[in-house]
Amino acid sequence: MTKHINLHKNYSLNQSGYQLKLPLNIDTIIPEDDSVRLLSQFVETMDLTDLYSTYERINSISSRTLLKIVLYSYMNGDYSSRSMELNCKRDINFMFLLEGAPAPDHATFARFRSIHFAPCSKRILAEMSNTLFDLGEISGETIFIDGTKIEASANKYTFVWKKAVTKNQEKLLIKLADFVAECEQLYDIKIVYGSTIKMKHVKKLRKKLYTLKESENVVFVHGIGKRKTPLQKCIETLEDYSSRLKEYNQKIHICGEWNSYSQTDRDATFMRMKEDAMGNGQLKPAYNLQHGLDSEYITWLTIGPQPTDTTTLIPFLKDAENHLKFKYKNITADAGYESEENYQFLESNGQISYIKPANYEISKTRKYRNDIGKIENMEYDEEADVYTCRNDKKLKVHNIRHSISKTGYVSEKTIYKYENCDACPYKKECIKGNNCKIPLDERTKTLQVAKTFLKYRQEDLERILSEEGILFRTNRSIQAEGSFGDLKQDMQFRRYLSKGTTNVLAESTLLAMARNINKLHNKIQKDRTGNHLFPLKSCLLYTSDAADEEDS
């Protein structure tokens, strides 16, 4: 028996004898402990006044509903606006969040992220953190800070290096000066009355040459078999130099205080990434994402173009203090954040630093402790302000040097020196630096000591070696680094989809909020709510298990 199928655009005409059976209430299909219910309840309690203020008219779907759908999609590792549109038509959990409203198209979700959510992303993240604080889920006392690099949505080979552009600009200016002098001699005109060529001279020369063209009725020719006049060659050369100079000036202006940028995402800078497929230390356009965690929740984050973490701490803490309703007292970070400027800021801001010193691990090695050239292994007389080396020679103060960092911080270093080390039997072991241009026989022992920095480092070392400091450091390894593991491995987010600092910040905020809801859901289901720190015993078990996994 042959079956007849009606090949019609309306497929419902073939459903004779078929009846779809669904419960009248979709709510009964969704489990009672599903995370979509927690998400809906949490977002309903948030104050989204800033988000609603970005709309000029009332839409068919509220901003709160759109935020729920986007967050739930991010919670499940799906970041495409087209997937969100499709899920709203097929997935029951998304229909639950829509509450009977029609499914929005993908452009609505794209506009929501870039136009409406992006301008107020920080305030919405602060609202979530403040809500968690009111619930007692975060302590508001200790924050664990760490950073990672995430690749930007830019092409690999679109880099612009400030140093290379500056070098080409200098070469072009020399060519331009010679060209102006040649034109002055060739056409008997005077443009420059000094030794410096400025842009006004180039414009004046251009005007003179075009005046000569009109007066002599010179017709420009192009193509094979046509001979260009000297005047045409001069004008074309000048136009080429002018366009190149304008391009170089624009690129240097875009670079600003940074050394590079990408032509397809000008806010991204080139950094060395851990994910190096070529194995040659290839530079990629990326952003530096900073996370601050409290009780396993991301309470604050920042985005920046800095390739290192040192200069990100102070802006991070100032930004968090301006937006959150509470101020953190204990600041825990790894060795990448150690600097005299950061120590001084934390002390003046009434905060306690638990920053691991940069030489903490290497200082425990036998080679470091036996290095007679280190200031840590020399005797210091505080009253006389002198260091005594292995040969019992006194290194006295030679001079004091002040240096200014990129952020404008002025640091002081005391230079200690011994005048003559010729007869010292320990000279080869004490004086290091094989690449120094001065021969070893002519060199003397010199120490550069930042006394303020060493004082801060010693105080900080005593804190991190205390019982509380060990607890904070082990929790930082679990919570801060674990958040990036969740993003990159569990949520499979390794490359931004949007361009520009504002949109990238909005994308990072959505990821953080989605992870916070997932974390709250897991803690509720495992009866771990209200726990702010992992106990030291469980921390050691956690780190040992992680080490075993890495070894296997």
Side-chain angles (χ1 to χ4, degrees):
M1 180 180 177
T2 58
K3 295 184 178 180
H4 177 70
I5 298 178
N6 187 7
L7 302 179
H8 196 275
K9 292 182 179 179
N10 186 359
Y11 299 131
S12 61
L13 298 176
N14 298 325
Q15 293 180 356
S16 57
Y18 176 80
Q19 183 176 358
L20 178 64
K21 297 179 179 66
L22 285 176
L24 296 177
N25 189 5
I26 296 179
D27 189 26
T28 59
I29 304 178
I30 301 174
E32 295 178 354
D33 59 350
D34 198 296
S35 60
V36 70
R37 297 180 182 274
L38 175 64
L39 168 67
S40 181
Q41 294 172 11
F42 195 96
V43 175
E44 287 293 338
T45 61
M46 293 174 61
D47 182 11
L48 301 179
T49 306
D50 295 324
L51 183 60
Y52 278 99
S53 64
T54 60
Y55 287 88
E56 297 180 355
R57 58 185 178 85
I58 300 175
N59 292 342
S60 58
I61 299 179
S62 66
S63 302
R64 193 180 299 273
T65 302
L66 289 174
L67 179 61
K68 290 180 185 179
I69 295 172
V70 173
L71 283 177
Y72 189 66
S73 184
Y74 273 64
M75 286 169 61
N76 291 278
D78 197 345
Y79 315 111
S80 169
S81 58
R82 293 185 182 273
S83 295
M84 295 177 194
E85 177 187 0
L86 189 62
N87 288 332
C88 287
K89 297 175 181 178
R90 294 182 176 181
D91 196 301
I92 294 177
N93 287 8
F94 283 86
M95 295 178 186
F96 171 78
L97 295 175
L98 279 172
E99 299 178 3
D105 61 350
H106 66 92
T108 303
F109 293 115
R111 287 194 300 268
F112 173 79
R113 281 189 295 192
S114 60
I115 299 177
H116 302 289
F117 181 82
C120 56
S121 59
K122 286 188 176 182
R123 295 189 292 273
I124 295 178
L125 178 61
E127 177 65 22
M128 172 173 274
S129 299
N130 292 334
T131 303
L132 290 170
F133 178 75
D134 294 335
L135 292 173
E137 276 300 299
I138 59 178
S139 65
E141 295 182 357
T142 306
I143 187 171
F144 307 104
I145 302 174
D146 201 3
T148 190
K149 299 170 186 174
I150 298 182
E151 189 178 350
S153 178
N155 298 334
K156 297 178 184 178
Y157 305 108
T158 59
F159 43 77
V160 174
W161 301 106
K162 186 177 182 179
K163 188 174 181 180
V165 174
T166 305
K167 185 184 295 184
N168 292 334
Q169 185 190 46
E170 292 174 356
K171 292 180 180 178
L172 180 61
L173 289 174
I174 295 174
K175 287 184 179 180
L176 195 57
D178 296 339
F179 176 75
V180 171
E182 182 183 347
C183 288
E184 285 181 336
Q185 184 177 4
L186 184 62
Y187 298 105
D188 194 21
I189 54 178
K190 190 65 177 174
I191 303 295
V192 183
Y193 292 91
S195 58
T196 306
I197 299 292
K198 297 181 180 180
M199 200 63 196
K200 65 178 183 180
H201 298 136
V202 177
K203 293 179 179 179
K204 189 175 180 181
L205 175 61
R206 182 176 180 274
K207 187 177 180 180
K208 291 270 189 182
L209 293 178
Y210 273 103
T211 304
L212 285 173
K213 177 197 169 189
E214 293 178 0
S215 62
E216 296 178 6
N217 295 323
V218 176
V219 178
F220 284 4
V221 294
H222 302 279
I224 301 175
K226 304 292 181 63
R227 186 176 297 276
K228 297 180 180 179
T229 61
L231 182 60
Q232 180 180 352
K233 292 180 180 179
C234 288
I235 292 177
E236 289 179 353
T237 303
L238 182 63
E239 293 288 359
D240 178 50
Y241 286 172
S242 300
S243 62
R244 284 165 58 189
L245 184 61
K246 184 179 179 181
E247 178 186 351
Y248 294 153
N249 292 336
Q250 185 180 9
K251 288 180 176 179
I252 293 174
H253 176 73
I254 294 172
C255 277
E257 59 181 354
W258 307 112
N259 295 324
S260 65
Y261 74 91
S262 172
Q263 295 181 18
T264 48
D265 187 357
R266 293 181 176 180
D267 293 338
T269 52
F270 282 80
M271 310 176 187
R272 296 195 185 275
M273 310 287 289
K274 291 182 179 178
E275 298 87 2
D276 187 10
M278 302 293 292
N280 57 357
Q282 187 181 27
L283 297 173
K284 294 181 181 179
Y287 288 93
N288 190 343
L289 173 62
Q290 297 290 315
H291 274 181
L293 284 95
D294 181 3
S295 309
E296 303 177 68
Y297 299 102
I298 302 173
T299 57
W300 199 247
L301 61 86
T302 56
I303 284 289
Q306 302 92 334
T308 58
D309 296 333
T310 310
T311 57
T312 63
L313 182 64
I314 296 177
F316 181 93
L317 294 175
K318 287 182 177 180
D319 206 21
E321 189 175 343
N322 292 334
H323 287 85
L324 300 178
K325 65 191 301 184
F326 49 89
K327 181 181 178 180
Y328 283 106
K329 179 183 178 183
N330 305 317
I331 311 300
T332 308
D334 63 4
Y337 296 86
E338 188 191 29
S339 71
E340 182 181 328
E341 182 181 5
N342 290 342
Y343 280 137
Q344 193 273 334
F345 171 80
L346 291 174
E347 183 183 50
S348 61
N349 203 34
Q351 295 171 312
I352 303 174
S353 64
Y354 290 87
I355 301 176
K356 184 178 178 181
N359 67 338
Y360 176 73
E361 296 295 339
I362 195 174
S363 64
K364 295 187 290 185
T365 61
R366 184 183 304 172
K367 180 180 178 181
Y368 188 92
R369 293 196 301 266
N370 296 335
D371 190 347
I372 62 175
K374 300 287 185 184
I375 60 173
E376 292 85 356
N377 300 326
M378 294 185 182
E379 296 181 5
Y380 177 64
D381 187 351
E382 190 172 354
E383 294 183 1
D385 195 14
V386 294
Y387 282 90
T388 305
C389 69
R390 175 67 65 87
N391 201 27
D392 291 331
K393 302 297 181 181
K394 306 295 182 183
L395 280 79
K396 300 181 181 179
V397 177
H398 182 265
N399 65 298
I400 296 176
R401 189 181 70 186
H402 294 86
S403 58
I404 303 176
S405 65
K406 290 183 178 180
T407 58
Y409 180 78
V410 180
S411 60
E412 180 182 284
K413 284 186 178 180
T414 305
I415 312 299
Y416 294 85
K417 212 171 191 179
Y418 186 70
E419 296 179 355
N420 189 1
C421 297
D422 292 342
C424 180
Y426 306 103
K427 184 173 183 179
K428 189 174 181 180
E429 302 175 16
C430 184
I431 301 177
K432 302 293 178 66
N434 297 327
N435 297 326
C436 184
K437 295 181 179 180
I438 303 175
L440 181 63
D441 298 336
E442 302 177 10
R443 293 163 62 187
T444 58
K445 183 62 178 178
T446 304
L447 295 177
Q448 298 184 14
V449 182
K451 295 183 178 179
T452 306
F453 173 70
L454 292 179
K455 179 180 75 72
Y456 282 130
R457 171 180 275 187
Q458 184 60 34
E459 294 173 354
D460 185 72
L461 182 62
E462 294 174 0
R463 283 193 293 269
I464 69 168
L465 292 177
S466 64
E467 187 175 350
E468 186 180 38
I470 296 173
L471 178 65
F472 287 163
R473 283 192 293 124
T474 49
N475 270 272
R476 188 208 67 82
S477 299
I478 296 171
Q479 297 191 29
E481 296 181 12
S483 69
F484 297 125
D486 291 342
L487 258 63
K488 292 185 175 182
Q489 188 63 35
D490 296 346
M491 303 174 74
Q492 289 296 307
F493 190 87
R494 298 177 181 271
R495 191 173 190 265
Y496 285 112
L497 304 176
S498 53
K499 300 179 181 180
T501 303
T502 304
N503 292 331
V504 166
L505 177 62
E507 205 168 347
S508 303
T509 304
L510 288 170
L511 283 166
M513 294 176 68
R515 182 193 174 274
N516 286 347
I517 297 295
N518 278 334
K519 180 62 66 175
L520 179 60
H521 170 67
N522 292 333
K523 293 182 78 172
I524 291 174
Q525 297 302 318
K526 295 179 181 179
D527 295 326
R528 292 183 52 245
T529 55
N531 295 334
H532 303 310
L533 296 173
F534 287 96
L536 193 57
K537 187 175 181 181
S538 63
C539 286
L540 296 175
L541 291 173
Y542 182 93
T543 52
S544 64
D545 291 343
D548 292 340
E549 290 179 3
E550 289 180 0
D551 294 339
S552 61

